[in-house]
Amino acid sequence: MAAKKASLTSRNPELIRGIRKYSRSKMYHKRGIWAIKAKHGGVFPRHEPKAAPPKPAEKPPKFYPADDVKTPIPNHRKHKPTKLRPSITPGTVLILLAGRFMGKRVVFLKQLPSGLLLVTGPFKINGVPLRRVNQAYVIGTSTKIDISGVDVEKFDDKYFTKEKKKKTKKSEGEFFDTEKEATKALPQEKKDDQKTVDAQLIKAIEAVPDLKAYLGARFSLRAGMKPHELVF
Amino acid sequence: MPFKRYVEIGRVALVNYGKDYGTLVVIVDVVDQNRALVDAPDMVRGQMNFKRLSLTDIKIDIPRLPKKKSLIAAMEAADVKNKWENSSWGRKLIVQKRRAALNDFDRFKVMLARIKRGGAIQQELAKLKKQDASRGLMS
């Protein structure tokens, strides 16, 4: 068999949508069906269908349910992470717009598989730890920091999920003792992760004059500032 | 008060409305009571209502309807660009444009600079006040 052509374009160009240049009979001639037929004695060659493997005999079911059971339609959709705004690239300084750290200027590290953005203060500069943040609550500025020296491979959504509290049965006396629930201290491992990530970042930040103070300050609107006219 | 800036052939004007907002143009002919024929080195010559033009102090010496080349030559000879950029009006516009293009980090740096400048001024003022006070006691 001859190798297939790299491009399988039609020999019948479209003049206008729905109308092609050549008629059925002309196309019959162009495709060379007459030549193929002539080679095979006036008949277009047909291949016999491949013999299918014999199917095993199906036994009739032992049990027919009384009512029709509806099977749910299978859903094979896989979510893709949210499309990142083009202004947000690794190393961008972001302004957080909501939550505990509203107004803080923060460094963007990477987008996690859930679509949330992984972000860090750095902690020493403005108190924002390694944290997940939604893209919608963020302004991307045009200030970029070089984060090529930072390794963020190990962080994913599982790192940030809350530990599931084990439900212990409360006796009557303990029911009103809500302070007894132990406040979980941050595990040393997470503190070390924060330190290693920030160490590289702080070096890059201190190389730029005033950048450290910039990241330590909060953003706010003043009189006369029009957000739709501001260049970030 | 008499008028100082007249509509005449060769008057440089600033477009204050429309697609060419902010560009400097030269009045090259007057069409009628309301419109002028206007030309600039990087613009197709066309008519513009006087209401869209703000006249400047700059005037260049050109005949009516010069060719583009001679217009550009006349503008170079009169040094329109530098005269404009050194005039107070032109300088204000340049500063406005620069301020509008500041990014968030730049605005922060400007704030630090203003605080620093204010601090230096206050120091000098304090020194002068002290001198004045000491002189006042003496006199």
Side-chain angles (χ1 to χ4, degrees):
Chain A
M1 282 281 283
K4 264 202 168 148
K5 263 201 319 188
S7 62
L8 299 166
T9 50
S10 161
R11 290 176 217 263
N12 197 354
E14 204 170 9
L15 297 171
I16 250 179
R17 193 182 84 93
I19 301 178
R20 291 185 174 262
K21 188 167 175 187
Y22 298 110
S23 65
R24 287 184 86 95
S25 44
K26 275 262 156 65
M27 279 313 294
Y28 175 89
H29 178 77
K30 271 171 98 72
R31 286 170 66 201
I33 312 288
W34 55 272
I36 299 175
K37 273 190 171 176
K39 243 205 308 192
H40 296 267
V43 183
F44 196 80
R46 259 192 88 223
H47 295 283
E48 291 297 319
K50 277 201 207 128
K55 279 201 197 140
E58 276 185 28
K59 282 204 300 200
K62 268 192 252 182
F63 174 73
Y64 293 97
D67 304 310
D68 279 328
V69 181
K70 283 200 174 158
T71 56
I73 304 170
N75 182 359
H76 299 297
R77 287 195 176 158
K78 289 209 175 76
H79 287 291
K80 282 199 270 191
T82 331
K83 183 158 181 259
L84 252 193
R85 257 181 274 154
S87 61
I88 302 177
T89 62
T92 312
V93 172
L94 306 174
I95 300 176
L96 300 180
L97 294 173
R100 185 165 169 212
F101 301 106
M102 186 160 34
K104 293 264 189 195
R105 294 169 172 125
V106 132
V107 179
F108 169 63
L109 297 173
K110 74 169 188 181
Q111 185 180 32
L112 300 168
S114 66
L116 299 172
L117 313 179
L118 176 64
V119 128
T120 181
F123 186 69
K124 267 209 184 290
I125 296 182
N126 54 22
V128 180
L130 281 165
R131 199 168 203 265
R132 291 185 298 174
V133 136
N134 189 316
Q135 204 192 155
Y137 299 97
V138 137
I139 294 180
T141 65
S142 49
T143 315
K144 314 270 182 202
I145 301 174
D146 180 23
I147 64 164
S148 52
V150 181
D151 178 30
V152 280
E153 283 302 318
K154 66 178 282 198
F155 302 113
D156 64 344
D157 292 291
K158 267 202 287 259
Y159 182 91
F160 292 100
T161 48
K162 285 201 188 127
E163 302 288 328
K164 278 216 167 146
K165 278 196 213 157
K166 283 211 190 116
K167 278 198 172 176
T168 51
K169 291 253 175 173
K170 290 187 181 164
S171 63
E172 276 233 3
E174 287 182 4
F175 209 69
F176 299 97
D177 255 337
T178 44
E179 310 99 72
K180 271 231 171 175
E181 287 178 27
T183 49
K184 293 229 176 74
L186 200 60
Q188 187 59 31
E189 191 203 329
K190 291 210 173 170
K191 292 189 190 170
D192 294 334
D193 288 338
Q194 182 77 53
K195 282 205 192 113
T196 46
V197 168
D198 287 355
Q200 294 287 338
L201 271 180
I202 290 180
K203 257 193 276 175
I205 288 168
E206 287 181 342
V208 182
D210 291 332
L211 189 57
K212 197 164 174 200
Y214 174 62
L215 290 176
R218 282 207 205 220
F219 171 82
S220 69
L221 283 177
R222 303 252 144 77
M225 286 172 105
K226 299 174 195 156
H228 69 293
E229 286 180 359
L230 287 179
V231 167
F232 283 101
Chain B
M1 299 112 23
F3 288 99
K4 288 209 204 101
R5 298 173 185 162
Y6 293 96
V7 168
E8 47 199 333
I9 293 175
R11 176 64 59 182
V12 173
L14 186 71
V15 178
N16 60 29
Y17 183 93
K19 190 171 67 108
D20 304 304
Y21 180 86
T23 62
L24 277 182
V25 291
V26 178
I27 294 176
V28 135
D29 197 1
V30 171
V31 174
D32 61 15
Q33 198 194 336
N34 292 320
R35 289 177 298 161
L37 197 61
V38 128
D39 202 357
D42 55 350
M43 181 180 117
V44 177
R45 178 183 294 177
Q47 59 90 29
M48 224 178 238
N49 193 314
F50 287 121
K51 291 187 178 177
R52 292 195 176 197
L53 298 173
S54 302
L55 302 179
T56 69
D57 287 330
I58 307 173
K59 177 182 182 304
I60 65 178
D61 190 17
I62 50 168
R64 190 179 75 96
L65 297 171
K67 288 207 198 304
K68 200 70 157 208
K69 261 204 289 190
S70 44
L71 175 69
I72 295 175
M75 287 181 87
E76 296 280 316
D79 206 14
V80 168
K81 190 159 186 265
N82 282 328
K83 271 203 208 142
W84 176 243
E85 285 173 4
N86 294 329
S87 71
S88 61
W89 185 358
R91 276 185 282 131
K92 271 188 273 177
L93 283 189
I94 291 174
V95 168
Q96 276 176 21
K97 276 198 198 130
R98 218 184 283 157
R99 287 205 179 135
L102 285 178
N103 94 36
D104 193 44
F105 188 27
D106 294 335
R107 263 175 266 133
F108 181 79
K109 286 190 266 191
V110 164
M111 175 194 66
L112 292 182
R114 300 181 90 218
I115 292 174
K116 206 168 173 192
R117 183 181 68 172
I121 291 173
Q122 286 300 320
Q123 274 189 337
E124 279 304 312
L125 185 60
K127 262 193 244 168
L128 290 173
K129 275 194 185 160
K130 215 161 123 187
Q131 280 178 13
D132 210 32
S134 61
R135 225 182 292 130
L137 284 172
M138 300 267 247
S139 67

Tab-separated table of all heavy atoms in Angstrom, chain A residues 95 105 142-143 209-210 213-214 217 219 230-231, chain B residues 100-109 111-112:
chain	number	residue	atom	x	y	z
A	95	ILE	N	-1.807	42.547	44.491
A	95	ILE	CA	-2.441	43.267	45.587
A	95	ILE	C	-3.671	42.462	45.987
A	95	ILE	O	-4.560	42.218	45.162
A	95	ILE	CB	-2.858	44.683	45.146
A	95	ILE	CG1	-1.630	45.463	44.702
A	95	ILE	CG2	-3.533	45.404	46.301
A	95	ILE	CD1	-1.962	46.833	44.168
A	105	ARG	N	0.592	43.747	49.634
A	105	ARG	CA	1.245	43.454	48.349
A	105	ARG	C	2.073	42.199	48.544
A	105	ARG	O	2.873	42.108	49.481
A	105	ARG	CB	2.128	44.626	47.941
A	105	ARG	CG	1.282	45.862	47.646
A	105	ARG	CD	2.136	47.054	47.517
A	105	ARG	NE	1.402	48.202	47.062
A	105	ARG	CZ	1.375	49.349	47.716
A	105	ARG	NH1	2.016	49.479	48.838
A	105	ARG	NH2	0.693	50.364	47.217
A	142	SER	N	2.341	45.435	37.530
A	142	SER	CA	3.326	45.156	36.491
A	142	SER	C	4.722	44.986	37.075
A	142	SER	O	5.694	44.859	36.342
A	142	SER	CB	3.316	46.269	35.452
A	142	SER	OG	3.370	47.504	36.084
A	143	THR	N	4.835	44.950	38.415
A	143	THR	CA	6.142	44.755	39.045
A	143	THR	C	6.428	43.266	39.129
A	143	THR	O	5.626	42.506	39.673
A	143	THR	CB	6.126	45.336	40.469
A	143	THR	OG1	5.509	46.615	40.408
A	143	THR	CG2	7.524	45.479	41.007
A	209	PRO	N	15.988	48.509	44.965
A	209	PRO	CA	15.794	49.514	46.016
A	209	PRO	C	14.315	49.793	46.251
A	209	PRO	O	13.526	49.802	45.312
A	209	PRO	CB	16.499	50.756	45.456
A	209	PRO	CG	16.617	50.519	44.006
A	209	PRO	CD	16.701	49.048	43.805
A	210	ASP	N	13.939	49.990	47.515
A	210	ASP	CA	12.588	50.344	47.939
A	210	ASP	C	11.579	49.218	47.802
A	210	ASP	O	10.445	49.353	48.233
A	210	ASP	CB	12.035	51.556	47.141
A	210	ASP	CG	12.758	52.833	47.500
A	210	ASP	OD1	13.246	52.932	48.641
A	210	ASP	OD2	12.833	53.716	46.634
A	213	ALA	N	10.273	47.878	51.252
A	213	ALA	CA	9.303	48.762	51.900
A	213	ALA	C	7.972	48.718	51.166
A	213	ALA	O	6.898	48.768	51.780
A	213	ALA	CB	9.849	50.191	51.921
A	214	TYR	N	8.033	48.601	49.839
A	214	TYR	CA	6.825	48.535	49.025
A	214	TYR	C	5.988	47.330	49.404
A	214	TYR	O	4.770	47.432	49.596
A	214	TYR	CB	7.239	48.475	47.554
A	214	TYR	CG	6.116	48.263	46.565
A	214	TYR	CD1	5.090	49.178	46.437
A	214	TYR	CD2	6.115	47.153	45.730
A	214	TYR	CE1	4.084	48.989	45.509
A	214	TYR	CE2	5.124	46.956	44.800
A	214	TYR	CZ	4.113	47.875	44.695
A	214	TYR	OH	3.120	47.684	43.774
A	217	ALA	N	4.208	47.696	52.763
A	217	ALA	CA	3.137	48.676	52.906
A	217	ALA	C	1.849	48.122	52.328
A	217	ALA	O	1.868	47.287	51.436
A	217	ALA	CB	3.526	49.961	52.193
A	219	PHE	N	-1.808	48.663	50.266
A	219	PHE	CA	-2.349	49.509	49.217
A	219	PHE	C	-3.668	50.098	49.683
A	219	PHE	O	-4.475	49.422	50.308
A	219	PHE	CB	-2.582	48.685	47.942
A	219	PHE	CG	-3.335	49.419	46.885
A	219	PHE	CD1	-2.688	50.300	46.036
A	219	PHE	CD2	-4.702	49.251	46.751
A	219	PHE	CE1	-3.376	50.991	45.064
A	219	PHE	CE2	-5.409	49.936	45.783
A	219	PHE	CZ	-4.744	50.808	44.940
A	230	LEU	N	-6.148	54.109	36.901
A	230	LEU	CA	-4.818	53.804	37.431
A	230	LEU	C	-4.161	52.738	36.592
A	230	LEU	O	-4.802	51.783	36.155
A	230	LEU	CB	-4.933	53.290	38.870
A	230	LEU	CG	-5.265	54.272	39.971
A	230	LEU	CD1	-5.343	53.538	41.278
A	230	LEU	CD2	-4.225	55.360	40.039
A	231	VAL	N	-2.845	52.904	36.414
A	231	VAL	CA	-2.059	51.848	35.790
A	231	VAL	C	-1.423	51.067	36.924
A	231	VAL	O	-0.736	51.645	37.763
A	231	VAL	CB	-0.963	52.466	34.903
A	231	VAL	CG1	0.046	51.409	34.502
A	231	VAL	CG2	-1.564	53.110	33.692
B	100	ALA	N	0.175	59.811	34.705
B	100	ALA	CA	-0.866	58.831	34.384
B	100	ALA	C	-0.261	57.463	34.104
B	100	ALA	O	-0.910	56.445	34.314
B	100	ALA	CB	-1.664	59.302	33.180
B	101	ALA	N	1.001	57.445	33.645
B	101	ALA	CA	1.610	56.168	33.284
B	101	ALA	C	2.358	55.509	34.432
B	101	ALA	O	2.930	54.444	34.257
B	101	ALA	CB	2.575	56.383	32.125
B	102	LEU	N	2.348	56.122	35.619
B	102	LEU	CA	3.059	55.534	36.747
B	102	LEU	C	2.420	54.229	37.153
B	102	LEU	O	1.197	54.143	37.240
B	102	LEU	CB	3.002	56.475	37.951
B	102	LEU	CG	3.876	57.711	37.945
B	102	LEU	CD1	3.616	58.498	39.210
B	102	LEU	CD2	5.327	57.343	37.857
B	103	ASN	N	3.252	53.216	37.461
B	103	ASN	CA	2.639	51.993	37.948
B	103	ASN	C	2.658	52.013	39.480
B	103	ASN	O	3.180	52.943	40.080
B	103	ASN	CB	3.299	50.778	37.287
B	103	ASN	CG	4.431	50.179	38.085
B	103	ASN	OD1	4.410	50.141	39.292
B	103	ASN	ND2	5.421	49.662	37.393
B	104	ASP	N	2.060	51.013	40.120
B	104	ASP	CA	1.842	51.059	41.563
B	104	ASP	C	3.157	51.231	42.323
B	104	ASP	O	3.232	52.001	43.283
B	104	ASP	CB	1.129	49.777	42.010
B	104	ASP	CG	0.593	49.870	43.420
B	104	ASP	OD1	0.000	50.921	43.755
B	104	ASP	OD2	0.758	48.925	44.186
B	105	PHE	N	4.203	50.536	41.881
B	105	PHE	CA	5.504	50.636	42.543
B	105	PHE	C	6.070	52.041	42.370
B	105	PHE	O	6.623	52.639	43.290
B	105	PHE	CB	6.455	49.579	41.956
B	105	PHE	CG	7.762	49.455	42.680
B	105	PHE	CD1	7.869	49.787	44.031
B	105	PHE	CD2	8.895	48.991	42.034
B	105	PHE	CE1	9.067	49.671	44.697
B	105	PHE	CE2	10.097	48.866	42.692
B	105	PHE	CZ	10.188	49.208	44.025
B	106	ASP	N	5.876	52.624	41.166
B	106	ASP	CA	6.366	53.980	40.922
B	106	ASP	C	5.665	54.975	41.822
B	106	ASP	O	6.297	55.897	42.352
B	106	ASP	CB	6.129	54.379	39.460
B	106	ASP	CG	6.961	53.555	38.513
B	106	ASP	OD1	8.019	53.056	38.950
B	106	ASP	OD2	6.555	53.408	37.350
B	107	ARG	N	4.357	54.778	42.006
B	107	ARG	CA	3.625	55.704	42.863
B	107	ARG	C	4.153	55.618	44.291
B	107	ARG	O	4.256	56.618	44.994
B	107	ARG	CB	2.128	55.378	42.840
B	107	ARG	CG	1.380	56.252	41.863
B	107	ARG	CD	-0.062	55.854	41.740
B	107	ARG	NE	-0.232	54.947	40.632
B	107	ARG	CZ	-0.928	53.817	40.681
B	107	ARG	NH1	-1.518	53.458	41.779
B	107	ARG	NH2	-1.025	53.046	39.617
B	108	PHE	N	4.511	54.408	44.719
B	108	PHE	CA	5.078	54.237	46.065
B	108	PHE	C	6.404	54.975	46.173
B	108	PHE	O	6.660	55.676	47.160
B	108	PHE	CB	5.258	52.741	46.329
B	108	PHE	CG	5.807	52.430	47.680
B	108	PHE	CD1	4.975	52.447	48.783
B	108	PHE	CD2	7.140	52.111	47.862
B	108	PHE	CE1	5.468	52.154	50.046
B	108	PHE	CE2	7.646	51.822	49.114
B	108	PHE	CZ	6.800	51.838	50.211
B	109	LYS	N	7.248	54.847	45.148
B	109	LYS	CA	8.556	55.515	45.179
B	109	LYS	C	8.392	57.026	45.190
B	109	LYS	O	9.134	57.743	45.871
B	109	LYS	CB	9.400	55.082	43.972
B	109	LYS	CG	9.927	53.657	44.112
B	109	LYS	CD	10.950	53.334	43.048
B	109	LYS	CE	10.282	52.677	41.869
B	109	LYS	NZ	11.211	52.093	40.907
B	111	MET	N	5.893	58.596	46.504
B	111	MET	CA	5.461	58.967	47.850
B	111	MET	C	6.667	59.065	48.784
B	111	MET	O	6.793	60.011	49.559
B	111	MET	CB	4.465	57.944	48.376
B	111	MET	CG	4.073	58.220	49.813
B	111	MET	SD	3.223	56.883	50.631
B	111	MET	CE	4.421	55.632	50.716
B	112	LEU	N	7.572	58.087	48.711
B	112	LEU	CA	8.768	58.124	49.560
B	112	LEU	C	9.576	59.382	49.270
B	112	LEU	O	10.057	60.051	50.196
B	112	LEU	CB	9.638	56.890	49.315
B	112	LEU	CG	9.091	55.549	49.768
B	112	LEU	CD1	10.107	54.464	49.494
B	112	LEU	CD2	8.742	55.558	51.231
